[in-house]
Amino acid sequence: MLVHVMAQRALTDAMELMANAMAQEVVSRTADRVAQEARRDGEDELRLERFMNNKPLIFKGGYDPNGAQTWLEGIERIFRAMRCLDEHRV
């Protein structure tokens, strides 16, 4: 009986240690993800600042196919000069 109780206690302790280790891993991964997102946000802000420093044309809307085409070409020219990836052009 005593051996059984000791085995149960050892198993309980091992499971508790495993649960704690798993919880620490989750916290660590979450902290890494938050830090990565913060860096990405900083990069996005710098990218936007660089884009705006190129003084892009402002498209005022309305029906102006030629104006829209000129605006689009200007924006694309800035993107190419910045070597902007498609995923960052949104």
Side-chain angles (χ1 to χ4, degrees):
M1 179 76 170
L2 182 59
V3 172
H4 180 69
V5 171
M6 290 175 61
Q8 287 278 47
R9 182 65 187 164
L11 182 58
T12 301
D13 289 345
M15 290 176 70
E16 186 177 331
L17 284 172
M18 184 183 295
N20 287 337
M22 291 171 71
Q24 286 177 335
E25 178 67 20
V26 168
V27 168
S28 176
R29 286 183 185 205
T30 301
D32 289 346
R33 191 174 314 119
V34 168
Q36 186 178 37
E37 288 175 9
R39 282 192 301 273
R40 192 175 310 127
D41 288 344
E43 291 170 4
D44 288 345
E45 287 178 23
L46 289 174
R47 198 174 294 114
L48 177 60
E49 185 177 336
R50 284 182 52 217
F51 178 80
M52 294 308 291
N53 285 339
N54 284 286
K55 308 223 182 322
L57 296 174
I58 307 258
F59 183 64
K60 295 175 179 65
Y63 183 79
D64 183 6
N66 292 332
Q69 186 63 36
T70 300
W71 173 80
L72 186 57
E73 289 168 357
I75 297 299
E76 288 176 346
R77 191 175 315 116
I78 293 171
F79 285 153
R80 279 192 305 275
M82 291 177 58
R83 295 188 176 115
C84 189
L85 300 174
D86 287 343
E87 62 210 40
H88 297 141
R89 292 180 183 205
V90 177

